[in-house]
Amino acid sequence: MKEAIFHFPTDGKPVSCEPIKSGHINETYLITTDTGALYILQWINQYVFPNVNAIMNNMSAISSYLREHEAGKSSMISYIDTLDGKNYYDDGEGGAWRIYRFVPNSICLQRPECPADFYECARAFGQFQYSLNGFQAEKLEETIVNFHNTVDRFRQLREAVANNKAGRLHEVEEEVRFVLDREEKACRLHHMREAGILPVRATHNDTKINNVLLDKDSRRAICVIDLDTVMPGLSAFDFGDAIRFGASTAAEDEPDLSKVHLDLNLYRTFTRGFLEACPSLTEEEVKALPLGAFTMTLEVGLRFLADYLNGDPYFSIDYPEHNKVRCRTQFKLIRDMEEHWDEMCAIVEEERAKQ
Ligand code: GN1
Ligand code: MG
């Protein structure tokens, strides 16, 4: 049992604590009490999120906005204050902990089991974006500075290559070249943001399918979770990250690259759900969605690669080559996107025309 749980008010006495393996950054546990109440306990990784207050402030800014403007339409999990009234528990050893009540009958998926699951996720992320349409993004703190600043991600990769800290550069020279060859296209979204062509919004920024809770029976989306990276960003980030993860035919760490493809049917399904649920996107934003998929895929591949070169300080790994395997799946998806680029753009156009 994690000691931290006893710093929160719970219905009944906590009797069991099971780790939930989901995500590469924080640690998550399911707590059961002797009255059968269920809670999710989370340890926040402060190497990645040094400013826990910023996360919690962003979350309350968003939840009060949604409560005021969207009563009943969008739901959000709410964290429970500690026994001494704080919004997280600091264990004094660099650990920050928080809890919320397990959402009854909810599941989260690592991959869509059918297109309808992915459609539900698309609607959930689209709805999240739409419901924050009037929210002033600049009210949010940057919980990770330059998180989707692709230009800065290239700088970080170059630094990792120059330092070759883990002595692994010789293993991934081809991957490094692959990324550097695509720098211009990968940084295009960032420049469009800077030029004011694309509006800056409050975005989720980590739209993996496992960040949506679905109802176990109806399979309808309940809400989006993991709001730690909600920050000012581009709608294309949320669309793109969801595609790179959920429209792939294989897991993010599939070692057999022949199994990794972009599934264009899933891509279409997601596009439809996202556009239906988020009618507030500008024409430029809709046109930029395929570029969002390309950018998010290349960027996270670059981040896995840089982490591998740095000796894996950022993403949790199950075996030494894990980040290298992850970066290769992302680059395989990029190759697929390049091959099907015109189709990707056409699908967005077709689905937009149907709205
Ligand atoms: C991390 O921990 P998780 O799975 O929610 C990462 C995302 C990456 C993702 C890759 C704060 O998210 O940016 O896209 O891994 N989150 C952070 O699977 O860096
Ligand atoms: Mg997550």
Side-chain angles (χ1 to χ4, degrees), residues 23 206 208 210-211 226:
D206 184 10
K208 306 208 292 203
N210 61 13
N211 283 331
D226 194 357

Side-chain angles (χ1 to χ4, degrees), residues 272-283:
R272 182 175 308 151
F274 195 76
L275 292 179
E276 275 172 13
C278 191
S280 50
L281 299 182
T282 67
E283 205 179 322

Side-chain angles (χ1 to χ4, degrees), residues 2-76:
K2 296 281 171 190
E3 183 264 343
I5 187 66
F6 299 105
H7 294 268
F8 294 89
T10 49
D11 269 354
K13 183 174 164 292
V15 287
S16 82
C17 172
E18 274 169 56
I20 297 179
K21 186 109 189 53
S22 182
H24 305 333
I25 310 288
N26 296 331
E27 284 172 19
T28 307
Y29 303 88
L30 178 68
I31 303 280
T32 311
T33 74
D34 59 1
T35 62
L38 299 174
Y39 294 89
I40 295 290
L41 170 70
Q42 265 191 322
W43 170 83
I44 306 172
N45 177 336
Q46 292 191 78
Y47 171 77
V48 171
F49 294 106
N51 189 350
V52 180
N53 280 316
I55 297 182
M56 301 312 274
N57 292 343
N58 283 355
M59 222 124 18
S60 46
I62 285 178
S63 67
S64 43
Y65 180 87
L66 292 180
R67 251 198 317 275
E68 208 179 304
H69 296 264
E70 284 286 300
K73 276 202 255 162
S74 306
S75 57
M76 221 180 114

